Amino acid sequence: MILEAYLTGGEQREALFNADVAPEGSFIPIGSLFILPYVISGISLASTFILQFIGSTATVNEALSAICNILTIREHAQKITSLKDEKPDLLPVSHREVNKSVKQVISILEGQLKKTSLPEDERDLAVYRTLRSLLEQPECTVEIIKQLRESA
Amino acid sequence: MSVNSIKIRGLSLPPYLWVWLCIVLAPTVYRKLYPSILTFIRAFTAPFFIWEAGHPIGYTQRLVHAHLLIPSLIIIIGFVFLAFPLLRKKHLEHKYGLQYSLNIPILHEISSFVHSHLPGIQISSNLIRGDQIAFIYPQGFRKASLALFGGVAKKWRRDVESAQAILLHELAHIKNGDALVTGAGSGIRILLNYSLAIIFATTIILQVTGDIVNFYDSNWAPYGFTPVTIITSFLNVKFMETFVTFLFFDSVPSSLIEATSNLLSDAVVIIPLLMAIWYAELVADHTAATIQGTSEPLIRALSMPSANLSRWRWLLAHVSHPPNRLRIWSLRINPISNRMMFLVLLFPMALIVAMLVYVLGGALFDLSMIWFHRHFNPVWDSASTGVSIEYVATWPNMIYIDSIFITPQLVVIGIFIMLWPFIVKLWNCPLGENDEEISRWRRVHVIGGLITLALAFLLIAVLIVIYGCTWSDFIHMWTFNLTQN
């Protein structure tokens, strides 16, 4: 339903990104966090890179490992730079061979999710879950990306 | 407690929104709003002063009292939504894209739950709006609808107990008759956006401008009020020294203090209504938690991440709801009788707080006048008044006058609280099966009513002992507005 509204475009797509204050008689006055439209928007923007890593020879597990490694690398790098008198570039050699397209997708998705008030650690989790869903059903992913491109 | 307890009105708490409407609003209009409107109209339509004719901005000084209209406008807007509930219904249905078709499986599940507690309630929805959760709105004077959004559907899948707590909260609103009367609070949020700007513009900018014009007239009147003489004045060192001292040490500070005083005076009208609205939310939380037998699902629902707002928008949003922290704190009050006592006393305490805020506003006004006139300036003061200033503080009088108006309200509300269990019994509502709960509920109302009456008698004691107020003084104050107007 949300995807349909996004694909329809125009006012329906804009309505997905609305964040109105709720009226009197509601449960809470401030709207709840709704990240799905931003995820769809991120997938649409990163479609080329998503298709690249889906089309690569890496297995799903290898791709998921690459994703985890990127997210772990960032966490690791942050931990190191927070210590005094230590240089940041201490990443293991094998982890440097990360898939460029995976990095691009993560970067784009994170950029979209930064527009919401989702905390950073939950953002990484949301990105991981999104990419896992895309990788686990590659045919559906390709179809969705095709529809997103047509509606753009 | 049984699953269908939402149908049991017996353990409900007093409907303070209706109490505000029936008991507090009329004295507020009579005592504060009607005189404010008259003051503004009289100031605006007074005969032309001589100095106004001489200065292009002179007539704008009449707008200094424009802030007096703010509380009246808030009440009028709220009254319009009360009197025309279908107006609010149409506005909300259009704004949130609500529809009445429920051809989605998850909506069937949620509707079954809702109808098991409150059969026949109309449900509308817009699952595309994931930022919203649920709210109630009127379908007329007696009926209400429940609007469901993507937020509650998402919650239903992830944490069904929390989702049920949210729905029970909304159903509690309907059962307490809140759907119609919460519209009365709409005016607060609409006008609060503009109130600060209006108060700032009128009380500070206009007032300071008027002070500057008067200052120039009083000190440099022989030279006239022309562009040449004004420029010449500002090139004069002595004039500039006096002017700057006057502006930054007299006019601006006293205007800032007076603006704060005006803000507080305007807020006084809104405080009881605001507290009644917050009370309605806290009671709905209490009802939902009581039905579920635990507060934890509701606390989880209140703890979910929300959209990021600026501080100003956060403040505006919380006009209609207490902060989540307060709601969670209230839900964690144990035992339940203490929670009920806290809720029962919320509204009576709001009347006392409103009175104290009113007195504080009066004290600040006194301070602004004393500050402005602290150096008696023969040229200035003789030009404006012809006499020396001997200021009489107004805030002690405000305690006296406000106490006279609030005391009867507190007495009526105290009696209403004590009688609430009997009123409920007269409505032939089933009181449930648990005698201990019923006894506890009755006890809370008796004690709450007695505390409210004690507050009223305390004010009466202050009036008699400190002010020497008699019964004829009391009647005179109540009829004073009528004779004056």
Side-chain angles (χ1 to χ4, degrees):
Chain A
M1 193 187 287
I2 308 293
L3 186 58
E4 258 179 56
Y6 191 95
L7 291 171
T8 307
E11 276 183 13
Q12 283 206 38
R13 184 186 292 185
E14 275 173 28
L16 291 173
F17 294 92
N18 275 345
D20 282 323
V21 168
E24 291 77 20
S26 61
F27 177 63
I28 50 172
I30 301 166
S32 71
L33 203 48
F34 184 43
I35 65 170
L36 188 52
Y38 295 90
V39 169
I40 297 173
S41 176
I43 293 171
S44 177
L45 291 168
S47 55
T48 309
F49 304 108
I50 293 173
L51 290 175
Q52 271 176 18
F53 79 70
I54 282 179
S56 74
T57 53
T59 62
V60 169
N61 280 342
E62 283 169 353
L64 285 174
S65 295
I67 293 162
C68 281
N69 288 342
I70 291 168
L71 295 173
T72 308
I73 282 170
R74 183 174 304 108
E75 198 182 302
H76 189 59
Q78 277 172 1
K79 203 170 155 188
I80 288 172
T81 53
S82 70
L83 298 171
K84 289 181 184 176
D85 302 326
E86 292 235 19
K87 290 183 184 175
D89 193 17
L90 293 174
L91 303 173
V93 174
S94 59
H95 288 182
R96 285 181 186 160
E97 292 174 4
V98 290
N99 190 320
K100 269 189 186 173
S101 55
V102 169
K103 278 173 89 176
Q104 289 286 357
V105 174
I106 289 174
S107 170
I108 290 170
L109 280 173
E110 284 210 331
Q112 290 298 303
L113 289 175
K114 272 183 186 164
K115 294 177 187 175
T116 70
S117 54
L118 196 62
E120 193 180 338
D121 49 350
E122 292 193 37
R123 239 185 275 149
D124 282 352
L125 198 56
V127 167
Y128 174 76
R129 283 179 176 156
T130 304
L131 291 175
R132 187 180 66 187
S133 305
L134 294 174
L135 284 168
E136 283 173 353
Q137 299 178 74
E139 296 88 10
C140 285
T141 302
V142 170
E143 182 57 34
I144 287 169
I145 287 175
K146 186 177 153 197
Q147 290 185 31
L148 284 169
R149 281 179 167 177
E150 281 168 10
S151 74
Chain B
M1 192 169 290
S2 69
V3 169
N4 292 326
S5 308
I6 194 74
K7 292 182 191 167
I8 298 172
R9 197 199 290 263
L11 298 186
S12 61
L13 297 177
Y16 281 142
L17 269 172
W18 289 100
V19 167
W20 172 83
L21 190 66
C22 301
I23 296 172
V24 177
L25 178 60
T28 304
V29 169
Y30 174 66
R31 160 83 181 100
K32 296 201 166 87
L33 301 187
Y34 180 51
S36 295
I37 295 173
L38 277 185
T39 303
F40 175 76
I41 292 172
R42 281 178 182 161
F44 204 74
T45 57
F48 226 47
F49 294 117
I50 293 172
W51 74 268
E52 283 178 331
H55 305 297
I57 57 114
Y59 203 71
T60 59
Q61 289 300 292
R62 290 160 184 252
L63 291 173
V64 161
H65 298 291
H67 71 91
L68 290 170
L69 298 177
I70 295 171
S72 304
L73 287 173
I74 288 174
I75 299 299
I76 290 169
I77 292 171
F79 193 73
V80 165
F81 280 119
L82 260 177
F84 303 100
L86 295 180
L87 207 66
R88 190 160 171 249
K89 169 188 178 268
K90 279 191 181 151
H91 165 70
L92 290 172
E93 283 178 351
H94 174 75
K95 182 177 178 184
Y96 293 96
L98 292 168
Q99 289 169 6
Y100 287 92
S101 62
L102 302 173
N103 293 328
I104 298 162
I106 195 169
L107 280 179
H108 284 303
E109 286 177 43
I110 297 175
S111 305
S112 300
F113 173 80
V114 168
H115 288 136
S116 72
H117 283 274
L118 212 57
I121 191 80
Q122 197 162 34
I123 296 177
S124 58
S125 66
N126 181 358
L127 295 191
I128 289 174
R129 290 296 299 264
D131 62 311
Q132 298 295 321
I133 300 172
F135 61 73
I136 51 131
Y137 61 98
Q139 279 285 340
F141 288 104
R142 300 191 64 173
K143 285 188 182 173
S145 274
L146 174 64
L148 301 175
F149 296 91
V152 78
K154 196 169 61 168
K155 202 75 184 162
W156 188 267
R157 287 282 174 251
R158 288 199 180 166
D159 184 350
V160 70
E161 276 187 340
S162 277
Q164 288 174 348
I166 292 170
L167 294 166
L168 287 170
H169 170 101
E170 296 303 326
L171 296 179
H173 274 310
I174 296 175
K175 217 46 206 157
N176 292 338
D178 295 338
L180 176 67
V181 75
T182 47
S186 304
I188 301 178
R189 196 161 35 164
I190 292 168
L191 272 184
L192 201 61
N193 238 339
Y194 308 104
S195 297
L196 287 183
I198 292 171
I199 290 174
F200 182 80
T202 56
T203 310
I204 297 177
I205 295 178
L206 278 182
Q207 187 122 308
V208 169
T209 310
D211 287 345
I212 292 171
V213 168
N214 276 324
F215 174 85
Y216 182 86
D217 269 355
S218 305
N219 289 288
W220 295 84
Y223 299 98
F225 199 83
T226 65
V228 171
T229 53
I230 292 171
I231 292 168
T232 313
S233 314
F234 279 93
L235 292 173
N236 183 302
V237 171
K238 193 178 167 220
F239 173 86
M240 278 306 291
E241 275 177 10
T242 320
F243 172 71
V244 166
T245 308
F246 169 76
L247 183 67
F248 291 106
F249 288 92
D250 294 330
S251 176
V252 168
S254 72
S255 295
L256 280 170
I257 298 170
E258 193 179 333
T260 312
S261 162
N262 290 340
L263 189 67
L264 290 177
S265 300
D266 291 345
V268 160
V269 172
I270 301 160
I271 287 171
L273 172 58
L274 193 74
M275 199 46 60
I277 293 171
W278 280 21
Y279 166 85
E281 295 299 329
L282 292 169
V283 165
D285 286 342
H286 163 75
T287 308
T290 308
I291 292 169
Q292 283 196 312
T294 167
S295 306
E296 289 312 311
L298 200 57
I299 290 174
R300 284 200 304 272
L302 287 167
S303 307
M304 61 183 163
S306 52
N308 225 4
L309 291 182
S310 65
R311 281 191 189 173
W312 179 241
R313 283 194 77 198
W314 183 95
L315 198 67
L316 283 182
H318 282 85
V319 160
S320 59
H321 290 74
N324 284 2
R325 281 186 194 176
L326 177 61
R327 292 171 75 174
I328 291 171
W329 175 81
S330 170
L331 284 167
R332 290 206 161 121
I333 296 176
N334 267 311
I336 290 181
S337 53
N338 287 359
R339 190 198 302 164
M340 284 199 280
M341 185 64 72
F342 163 70
L343 294 173
V344 162
L345 291 176
L346 212 52
F347 189 70
M349 290 310 300
L351 295 182
I352 302 288
V353 166
M355 185 183 88
L356 294 174
V357 168
Y358 188 56
V359 170
L360 180 61
L364 284 175
F365 179 79
D366 292 339
L367 182 62
S368 76
M369 288 295 113
I370 292 167
W371 182 266
F372 190 78
H373 294 282
R374 69 190 186 289
H375 304 301
F376 172 66
N377 181 331
V379 177
W380 164 260
D381 288 304
S382 64
S384 61
T385 65
V387 296
S388 63
I389 298 293
E390 191 177 316
Y391 191 76
V392 178
T394 60
W395 69 266
N397 280 346
M398 291 168 105
I399 295 178
Y400 173 70
I401 296 168
D402 236 38
S403 297
I404 287 178
F405 279 88
I406 286 177
T407 306
Q409 294 175 52
L410 281 174
V411 168
V412 172
I413 291 170
I415 294 171
F416 178 79
I417 293 171
M418 289 177 72
L419 292 180
W420 178 244
F422 298 102
I423 294 170
V424 164
K425 198 175 169 185
L426 279 175
W427 282 349
N428 289 321
C429 294
L431 291 180
E433 296 161 359
N434 191 326
D435 286 338
E436 197 193 317
E437 281 181 36
I438 294 168
S439 305
R440 181 176 62 192
W441 171 70
R442 281 187 180 142
R443 204 165 44 241
V444 163
H445 283 81
V446 167
I447 296 171
L450 285 173
I451 292 174
T452 307
L453 287 172
L455 284 171
F457 293 140
L458 182 65
L459 284 179
I460 291 172
V462 165
L463 284 170
I464 294 172
V465 172
I466 296 178
Y467 291 94
C469 181
T470 62
W471 180 248
S472 58
D473 294 331
F474 185 87
I475 300 293
H476 171 73
M477 282 313 305
W478 270 90
T479 55
F480 182 73
N481 278 0
L482 275 176
T483 55
Q484 286 296 299
N485 302 323

